[in-house]
Amino acid sequence: MRIWIMAAAVLALLSGCGGGSSISNDGSESRIGEPEPYEAPAISESEKQAYLDAINDARSHQQDCGSEGIKDPAPALSWNDKLYRAAYEHSRDLAESNTWSHDGSGTSSDWTAQVQGLEYSTFRDRIENNGYTSWSRIGENITAGTDRDTARKAVEAWLQSDGHCANLMDPDYTEVGMAHYRKDGSDYTHYWTQDLGTPQ
């Protein structure tokens, strides 16, 4: 019994899933000034397509999201580079600061917080700072793990987590950006962020 408990504890250290977050535009005031987008590396068309295939394959099937209920198939999402920049910024920040949260680390790798003079960034801050400012709904999923080295593994992890699954399957979203960042020596090695949005 003791061996099983130790194995479970080790597995918990090697993978993580932050609860999915989403908000609808309620007219509340933004915390950012003029957007200063993060200069994320260019992503190839083939990599974008691989990410979209993993996401939209999942959305094309009914999914059991546990406490969030059974979700019917949802329309395919299209790629948005502004959401990609926000996602990449956060994946990099989590890896470089070795932290784990939907909030930015507040350190030098938390780009939006630095350029906007914030204590730390929220996912809304990052999405808006990267130019996605006219939205009706936004959301974010994060996951990480030493073996989560492909988009399909990241999506599968989200499908196994009730809140993430509901976010991923939400039919009200129309656009997505997703990004991976690898840092050897960090707690999880592979860090993934998925930012979802619906323009106004």
Side-chain angles (χ1 to χ4, degrees):
M1 181 64 158
R2 183 175 299 164
I3 292 172
W4 182 88
I5 292 171
M6 287 178 62
V10 170
L11 285 174
L13 289 173
L14 296 178
S15 64
C17 266
S21 294
S22 65
I23 55 174
S24 295
N25 194 340
D26 60 1
S28 61
E29 189 173 335
S30 175
R31 299 197 316 158
I32 69 161
E34 188 67 25
E36 294 186 43
Y38 182 75
E39 291 187 19
I43 183 169
S44 69
E45 290 303 317
S46 62
E47 193 169 7
K48 284 182 194 178
Q49 194 58 55
Y51 289 4
L52 283 173
D53 287 347
I55 295 163
N56 290 326
D57 284 354
R59 283 173 65 91
S60 70
H61 296 93
Q62 186 181 76
Q63 300 290 346
D64 182 352
C65 294
S67 63
E68 299 288 336
I70 301 294
K71 302 299 180 184
D72 289 332
L77 299 176
S78 60
W79 188 264
N80 184 284
D81 284 327
K82 294 173 183 176
L83 293 173
Y84 161 69
R85 287 196 303 267
Y88 188 91
E89 174 190 340
H90 194 50
S91 289
R92 181 183 180 278
D93 179 32
L94 292 175
E96 292 296 333
S97 63
N98 209 23
T99 56
W100 189 245
S101 173
H102 281 285
D103 289 334
S105 67
T107 67
S108 60
S109 60
D110 186 355
W111 169 263
T112 291
Q114 298 302 308
V115 299
Q116 294 293 337
L118 304 171
E119 182 181 355
Y120 61 87
S121 67
T122 65
F123 79 93
R124 175 181 175 173
D125 297 332
R126 292 187 297 274
I127 286 171
E128 291 183 339
N129 186 56
N130 280 284
Y132 200 83
T133 55
S134 183
W135 54 270
S136 62
R137 185 170 179 78
I138 52 173
E140 181 173 90
N141 285 335
I142 57 175
T143 190
T146 53
D147 66 341
R148 291 189 189 152
D149 55 353
T150 68
R152 289 196 180 272
K153 289 180 182 178
V155 168
E156 184 57 36
W158 287 323
L159 291 175
Q160 299 304 312
S161 170
D162 297 359
H164 294 95
C165 179
N167 246 5
L168 180 65
M169 295 302 295
D170 190 327
D172 291 333
Y173 288 126
T174 60
E175 298 180 326
V176 67
M178 182 168 157
H180 168 249
Y181 190 87
R182 175 178 179 152
K183 183 172 176 64
D184 294 328
S186 61
D187 284 348
Y188 299 125
T189 308
H190 299 282
Y191 295 77
W192 293 88
T193 304
Q194 178 186 65
D195 283 330
L196 302 143
T198 307
Q200 284 185 330

